[in-house]
Amino acid sequence: MSGYDIKKAIEQSTSNFWSESYGQIYPILQELVRQGLARRRAAPAGARERQLYSITGKGRRELRRWLAQPTVPGGVRNESLLKLFFGRESGAATHRREAERLRRDAVTAAAHLGELRALLEANASEPDAPYWLITLRFGELQSRAQLQWLDEALALFDELDKGERQRTTRRTRRRS
Amino acid sequence: MSGYDIKKAIEQSTSNFWSESYGQIYPILQELVRQGLARRRAAPAGARERQLYSITGKGRRELRRWLAQPTVPGGVRNESLLKLFFGRESGAATHRREAERLRRDAVTAAAHLGELRALLEANASEPDAPYWLITLRFGELQSRAQLQWLDEALALFDELDKGERQRTTRRTRRRS
DNA sequence: AAGACCATGTAACAGGTTACATGATTAT
DNA sequence: ATAATCATGTAACCTGTTACATGGTCTT
């Protein structure tokens, strides 16, 4: 594939657990060629400049070696949750709006997973299919958990907002 | 708090969605002081060198400003899933062992969330409690989804491994 | 006395994003 | 024509981890 194709393929099939930028892809492809892990050839026909890369035997051995290594869990970071942790500094209404936005995004993401499932099930005979499906399944379960949490969070913010409004109203009434 | 305390507090209360290393914490605290967002004083009594930091008015304003800004979602990266995506290159038995390891970690993490819930519920009167609880709730739902997925994955790997073994046996029988 | 933990910090490095630069081709 | 998309690449920058260095204190 070309660097461009790789980016598109990642976005299409693994977007729920992996992403890469061009700034990573192009230099890395060159490095892989330099190390003899990939080879590069110019696209045969066509007018546009296209550099097609393919894996070498050495590259595949290195891939297998890497795949066999257990993953060391890296640090987690969820900025939305960190902001919520200090949530009392803002108002509940602000959190509600933000949660609504996140919910819309989550619904869009869930729809994308649905499309991907249809696509994978149409190609169920593909020998890689079971592995692709189990990574997709992770996305589905995570997506479901995310949506449930957002609903609970929305309910909480409504509750908190009501409390805040009451306090404000009472204070106003007392003042007037 | 001191840099050391901050690290401990993060590990204890927000480990399911945030982490920091000393290499971040100490330089950033100095930078915050330089910008007038925090102030630093040496620990009053005691023999050990302790530098205590507290937020300034300016710092709190900056915190509020940051909290009000909507989060821009960064690129997702789950190395375990990426390895699974190319899972056919390895054997199903390898994935099974790895999944078992992940499951043990997930159970440990779930237990930690349970402790944290008990701690938070004991301090339910704390005005920040609702916000802390909703971030914890995220961890719980995510943890549950993770465990369910691992169970499904384990079942799949058993199935795939059975298939692989049968093919090997048949081939061996034919050869002998 | 040894080992664990408290406590602060720095330097080197790795990993990654964003913005920029360039130009061809295709669709409206 | 013009906008979108195809296609490749670089440079500057930011963020973050790991490993190292140092020394005090507490527990066994």
Side-chain angles (χ1 to χ4, degrees):
Chain A
M1 294 171 106
S2 68
Y4 196 86
D5 294 339
I6 290 170
K7 179 87 157 78
K8 288 290 156 298
I10 290 172
E11 273 163 18
Q12 231 245 333
S13 58
T14 69
S15 59
N16 73 120
F17 63 85
W18 203 264
S19 64
E20 292 289 355
S21 63
Y22 289 124
Q24 280 283 99
I25 291 171
Y26 285 114
I28 284 179
L29 283 171
Q30 288 172 23
E31 178 64 18
L32 289 176
V33 170
R34 205 190 59 73
Q35 289 181 23
L37 303 172
R39 74 180 75 81
R40 165 185 180 156
R41 63 180 197 284
R48 265 183 196 142
E49 278 281 289
R50 267 169 69 81
Q51 308 298 325
L52 298 180
Y53 294 85
S54 49
I55 196 167
T56 62
K58 190 180 170 193
R60 190 166 291 270
R61 280 193 298 281
E62 172 59 21
L63 172 64
R64 289 227 178 87
R65 195 198 59 73
W66 178 76
L67 286 171
Q69 271 182 279
T71 302
V72 286
V76 249
R77 289 191 159 202
N78 185 325
E79 194 180 308
S80 290
L81 285 186
L82 183 58
K83 280 176 173 162
L84 252 194
F85 189 80
F86 296 107
R88 207 165 60 91
E89 294 283 339
S90 321
T94 310
H95 297 304
R96 201 194 198 287
R97 276 191 299 277
E98 178 70 2
E100 279 163 358
R101 192 177 66 87
L102 288 176
R103 200 173 193 293
R104 280 192 297 275
D105 292 352
V107 168
T108 307
H112 180 247
L113 291 176
E115 286 169 31
L116 193 55
R117 172 163 286 277
L119 209 72
L120 288 182
E121 280 177 352
N123 289 56
S125 58
E126 166 81 40
D128 284 306
Y131 290 102
W132 295 350
L133 278 166
I134 195 70
T135 65
L136 171 63
R137 184 72 184 134
F138 180 89
E140 290 170 343
L141 286 168
Q142 187 170 261
S143 168
R144 191 197 286 175
Q146 172 93 354
L147 283 169
Q148 190 186 333
W149 179 77
L150 282 167
D151 289 337
E152 292 185 18
L154 283 168
L156 172 70
F157 300 147
D158 280 345
E159 201 61 36
L160 290 174
D161 188 40
K162 216 189 290 176
E164 283 175 17
R165 280 161 185 281
Q166 273 180 9
R167 272 192 293 282
T168 314
T169 310
R170 241 181 276 135
R171 217 181 303 143
T172 309
R173 232 186 268 138
R174 226 177 272 147
R175 253 188 226 153
S176 60
Chain B
M1 295 171 104
S2 68
Y4 197 85
D5 296 337
I6 290 171
K7 178 88 156 77
K8 288 289 157 297
I10 289 172
E11 272 164 18
Q12 231 244 337
S13 58
T14 68
S15 60
N16 73 119
F17 63 86
W18 203 262
S19 65
E20 291 289 354
S21 63
Y22 289 125
Q24 280 283 99
I25 291 172
Y26 286 115
I28 284 180
L29 283 172
Q30 288 172 23
E31 177 64 17
L32 289 177
V33 171
R34 206 190 58 72
Q35 289 182 23
L37 303 172
R39 74 181 74 83
R40 164 185 181 158
R41 63 181 197 283
R48 266 181 195 145
E49 277 281 290
R50 268 169 67 81
Q51 308 298 326
L52 299 179
Y53 295 84
S54 48
I55 196 167
T56 61
K58 190 179 169 192
R60 190 165 292 269
R61 280 194 296 281
E62 172 59 20
L63 173 62
R64 290 227 179 88
R65 196 197 58 75
W66 178 76
L67 286 171
Q69 271 182 280
T71 302
V72 286
V76 248
R77 291 195 156 198
N78 185 324
E79 194 181 308
S80 291
L81 286 185
L82 184 58
K83 280 175 173 161
L84 253 192
F85 189 81
F86 297 107
R88 207 165 61 91
E89 294 282 339
S90 323
T94 310
H95 296 304
R96 198 192 201 287
R97 277 191 298 277
E98 178 70 2
E100 279 163 359
R101 190 176 68 85
L102 287 176
R103 199 175 194 293
R104 280 192 297 276
D105 293 352
V107 168
T108 307
H112 181 247
L113 291 176
E115 286 169 31
L116 193 55
R117 172 163 288 277
L119 209 72
L120 287 183
E121 281 177 351
N123 288 57
S125 59
E126 166 81 39
D128 284 307
Y131 290 103
W132 296 349
L133 279 166
I134 195 68
T135 65
L136 171 64
R137 185 71 185 134
F138 180 89
E140 290 170 344
L141 287 168
Q142 187 171 262
S143 169
R144 189 197 287 175
Q146 172 94 355
L147 283 169
Q148 190 187 332
W149 178 77
L150 282 167
D151 289 337
E152 292 184 19
L154 283 168
L156 171 70
F157 299 147
D158 280 346
E159 201 59 36
L160 291 174
D161 188 41
K162 215 188 291 174
E164 283 174 17
R165 280 162 185 281
Q166 273 181 12
R167 274 191 294 281
T168 314
T169 311
R170 242 183 274 135
R171 216 180 304 141
T172 310
R173 231 185 268 138
R174 223 177 274 148
R175 251 187 228 154
S176 62

